[in-house]
Amino acid sequence: MERDLGEMAQATLKTWAAQMTITANASNSDREGWDFLLQFPPTLPVAGVPLDLRATRIECFVQVKGIETTRQRKSITLSNWEKLVGSPLPAFFLIIEFGKENDPQHAYLVHVNEEWIAKVLKRLRELPDTEKESLNQHTLDLTWSMADRIDTLNGKGLSTAIRRHIGNDFDKYVQKKKNLREKVGHNADAIFKFTSTGFKSVYDMHEQWMDFAIGLRDSLPVSTFTIEKQVRFGIPAEHIEHQDGMVSITPLGKSVTLLISNTEKSKESRFHAMLYTPTSFDPSGIIPKEQLKVRVVSEIGNFVFRPFANPITFSTTWDIEDVTKPRKLGELANLWRAREIFMNAQSEGVILEIHDDENSPCRLESRGHKLLGNEDLASMATAVDRAWFLARLFDISADTEMPLAQILGQDSNFKTVRDLGDPNIRIASIMTRVIDGDFNTEKEHALIFSRVLHFGKVILAVFIGFAGYPTIANGESGEKILEIRKPNRILLDHKKLEKIDQSEYKQLIQSESERMKSMGYEVSDIAE
């Protein structure tokens, strides 16, 4: 009587699972591509860690095969392979070798890993349209070796082998498998091949090819033009051909982060950008590396690099945005800081870094080159920097919207408050006109400086107090001048106002004056 090796193998798996309190859920249909869904016991609670943060329990699909011979190969239908590869859960083949005995002699656990995922997806890509509906009539041989053998023929041996492949972080494994399915074998979203005539030289032809590939040219004259879309394992999903004429394309960009800084990293700005490369346009690599170009488009500008030139060169262009349009203050500061970096490039250098999720950052550095020189831009950048400094000093949100014109219109006040309020700036002298009277220069005096600043719709009354021993001198018009040399900054305060009210403002000044008096200072006058 012939044995049912399949039933024997499945019964063995159930026994091994039970030994480790692993739940073996059998498939109700042989069309699912798997025999069992194994659910491992939940991880044990850890003291001090809430149960909602407990590690995800392991689950995996297992297809079981019972064999009698030592032949290490078995045909599996593509329909089964596709289901195991398509699921984000780990998938395994368990091959149990019985030989002539009724008990297992050897067992092998084959992990559906990156290598098998690539093989399956390539076979699926190779199938013509006429055969896509009959995957169960196509097979891919499963093979195994001594490296797949389970050490001990029991539940512990099976559990150890499965855990070895999945690792300690089940969620990380699931995400990795999803990424593999999406990216393995991927050549390009599109590959362009063409022939063309009418160029002045080979160099000119390559230059126009590059500019076309990264979107600097709208069209290109061609004799023949082929587009291969969604190329994977070297096989396109769609093939389009054109003959004679002008061809136009929308270049395929990739989302990246552009980091701009000076060489000392004392100033830094970060932008979302789109990266355009000629990789898909020159698959044969016939264009000399020195002529290759890369384009990065972001809010700060349109950058074009020659990454393999010696030295590396790049150019950029940008337009000044509408100064009356409100923008978030943090975004304005980020934008104008980058412009300031470029304006100081000759003395401070510039570093451009392109970051994406897949590759190491691309780093380009320029030293000693004048990249931008515009006095109007420089004054604008400085004004925005002052406004951003004061916004952080007085707890103004980076999301506060204000137009550039509002910053430029207040730059004189911003500069004064920045200079007086910055704790890193030492004040040499502060003075004010005073009314006639006797002054005790042996006693410390206090002066209060105040200004009203606007950040979008936010109104601030700012008060800065200085103290020290005064000297009295006569001014040019005969008035008395009180001067405090090297004063101490004893007050930096601000009040938010609902609206500009002169009487309220004067009351606030008087309140700050009384505050100085309560600290033991003689307030001679209030500087306005």
Side-chain angles (χ1 to χ4, degrees):
M1 182 176 179
E2 186 175 351
R3 299 178 298 174
D4 190 333
L5 294 174
E7 286 291 336
M8 292 169 61
Q10 291 192 24
T12 300
L13 173 61
K14 290 179 182 178
T15 299
W16 288 355
Q19 291 172 359
M20 301 300 294
T21 63
I22 297 172
T23 303
N25 301 285
S27 171
N28 293 322
S29 171
D30 60 3
R31 293 177 297 178
E32 291 302 319
W34 50 271
D35 296 318
F36 291 94
L37 169 63
L38 299 188
Q39 293 179 302
F40 281 57
T43 56
L44 295 175
V46 178
V49 178
L51 287 178
D52 62 299
L53 299 179
R54 179 161 52 174
T56 306
R57 68 189 296 184
I58 292 176
E59 294 184 335
C60 63
F61 291 122
V62 177
Q63 189 170 116
V64 187
K65 301 294 180 183
I67 62 173
E68 184 176 82
T69 68
T70 58
R71 183 171 181 266
Q72 296 178 328
R73 179 179 295 272
K74 195 167 186 65
S75 292
I76 307 296
T77 64
L78 272 183
S79 57
N80 280 2
W81 275 114
E82 183 188 34
K83 291 166 184 173
L84 294 177
V85 166
S87 170
L89 293 181
F92 300 91
F93 287 93
L94 177 63
I95 301 95
I96 300 178
E97 181 187 321
F98 290 93
K100 298 299 182 180
E101 306 299 326
N102 290 327
D103 294 321
Q105 302 302 300
H106 302 288
Y108 303 85
L109 187 73
V110 179
H111 178 213
V112 182
N113 58 13
E114 180 176 358
E115 180 182 354
W116 285 110
I117 290 173
K119 287 181 179 180
V120 172
L121 294 180
K122 184 178 181 182
R123 282 293 306 276
L124 293 173
R125 174 56 69 102
E126 291 171 340
L127 284 180
D129 288 342
T130 55
E131 300 182 39
K132 290 179 180 178
E133 300 296 327
S134 56
L135 291 183
N136 59 340
Q137 298 178 19
H138 296 270
T139 62
L140 175 65
D141 281 359
L142 172 72
T143 60
W144 56 92
S145 67
M146 290 295 294
D148 302 308
R149 181 180 285 188
I150 295 176
D151 295 332
T152 55
L153 299 178
N154 54 30
K156 184 176 182 180
L158 175 64
S159 174
T160 300
I162 290 175
R163 290 179 182 275
R164 184 185 304 122
H165 289 295
I166 294 176
N168 297 324
D169 191 331
F170 181 76
D171 293 327
K172 185 177 181 180
Y173 176 97
V174 169
Q175 187 59 51
K176 180 180 179 181
K177 186 176 179 182
K178 286 181 180 179
N179 293 339
L180 278 174
R181 177 174 169 79
E182 293 173 2
K183 298 177 181 179
V184 68
H186 182 80
N187 298 113
D189 292 324
I191 291 179
F192 311 98
K193 301 176 182 178
F194 63 90
T195 60
S196 185
T197 58
F199 296 107
K200 298 177 182 178
S201 63
V202 173
Y203 181 88
D204 178 53
M205 177 179 68
H206 290 165
E207 283 291 291
Q208 293 196 41
W209 284 9
M210 284 295 93
D211 291 346
F212 182 62
I214 61 178
L216 294 179
R217 287 180 59 95
D218 295 330
S219 60
L220 198 68
V222 297
S223 301
T224 62
F225 187 78
T226 301
I227 305 176
E228 295 180 343
K229 294 186 175 181
Q230 295 297 324
V231 183
R232 198 172 193 183
F233 304 106
I235 306 168
E238 185 179 1
H239 186 92
I240 304 172
E241 291 187 0
H242 295 278
Q243 296 288 333
D244 295 325
M246 300 292 291
V247 64
S248 297
I249 62 169
T250 300
L252 299 169
K254 179 179 183 180
S255 179
V256 296
T257 297
L258 176 64
L259 190 66
I260 301 174
S261 66
N262 56 10
T263 52
E264 294 183 354
K265 291 285 186 177
S266 60
K267 297 174 184 175
E268 184 176 281
S269 288
R270 188 179 300 264
F271 300 91
H272 170 264
M274 294 300 294
L275 172 67
Y276 300 91
T277 67
T279 305
S280 60
F281 199 75
D282 182 34
S284 59
I286 63 174
I287 297 177
K289 290 175 64 175
E290 293 75 17
Q291 282 189 259
L292 290 177
K293 294 180 182 179
V294 173
R295 178 173 169 235
V296 178
V297 179
S298 73
E299 179 186 15
I300 189 61
N302 185 10
F303 298 90
V304 179
F305 307 96
R306 289 189 185 272
F308 297 104
N310 188 16
I312 295 173
T313 60
F314 62 87
S315 59
T316 181
T317 57
W318 60 56
D319 297 319
I320 302 303
E321 62 280 355
D322 183 357
V323 298
T324 64
K325 178 182 177 181
R327 289 197 56 175
K328 291 181 179 179
L329 184 54
E331 294 177 356
L332 272 174
N334 188 59
L335 176 64
W336 283 91
R337 188 183 310 114
R339 287 176 174 157
E340 187 177 16
I341 291 170
F342 274 90
M343 284 181 279
N344 297 328
Q346 191 165 10
S347 58
E348 297 182 4
V350 172
I351 296 175
L352 300 179
E353 294 181 12
I354 303 169
H355 296 253
D356 63 42
D357 295 333
E358 300 175 13
N359 304 305
S360 299
C362 173
R363 186 178 188 275
L364 305 170
E365 183 173 339
S366 175
R367 288 176 177 269
H369 300 287
K370 188 174 182 179
L371 301 177
L372 184 65
N374 185 306
E375 292 302 322
D376 291 336
L377 288 181
S379 62
M380 290 181 182
T382 303
V384 173
D385 180 68
R386 291 190 187 109
W388 178 238
F389 174 88
L390 295 176
R392 288 176 293 166
L393 185 64
F394 299 125
D395 299 320
I396 302 297
S397 170
D399 292 332
T400 300
E401 293 193 346
M402 62 187 305
L404 179 60
Q406 188 184 44
I407 294 176
L408 299 178
Q410 298 180 91
D411 189 42
S412 176
N413 280 343
F414 280 159
K415 181 180 186 308
T416 304
V417 175
R418 165 71 189 269
D419 291 345
L420 295 179
D422 188 343
N424 296 314
I425 297 178
R426 182 66 175 170
I427 306 299
S429 172
I430 189 165
M431 62 184 67
T432 184
R433 292 185 299 273
V434 296
I435 60 176
D436 291 335
D438 296 325
F439 298 93
N440 183 2
T441 57
E442 300 298 321
K443 184 176 181 180
E444 278 196 282
H445 287 242
L447 297 178
I448 301 174
F449 171 87
S450 65
R451 282 291 187 275
V452 174
L453 304 179
H454 297 257
F455 293 88
K457 296 180 179 180
V458 179
I459 306 172
L460 288 188
V462 178
F463 306 95
I464 308 174
F466 298 92
Y469 291 95
T471 59
I472 305 297
N474 293 321
E476 294 180 358
S477 302
E479 74 274 24
K480 291 187 178 295
I481 302 296
L482 184 149
E483 179 183 14
I484 301 176
R485 296 171 184 171
K486 297 182 179 180
N488 295 315
R489 189 182 289 102
I490 58 173
L491 172 70
L492 179 60
D493 198 6
H494 65 280
K495 307 290 184 184
K496 286 190 177 181
L497 305 178
E498 295 293 329
K499 59 181 180 178
I500 298 297
D501 185 310
Q502 289 299 323
S503 61
E504 179 187 1
Y505 179 50
K506 290 181 179 180
Q507 287 177 5
L508 288 172
I509 295 175
Q510 188 60 41
S511 175
E512 295 297 339
S513 175
E514 296 298 327
R515 183 176 174 184
M516 294 294 96
K517 291 178 181 178
S518 69
M519 297 170 65
Y521 297 104
E522 183 172 328
V523 180
S524 300
D525 194 8
I526 298 173
E528 295 183 356

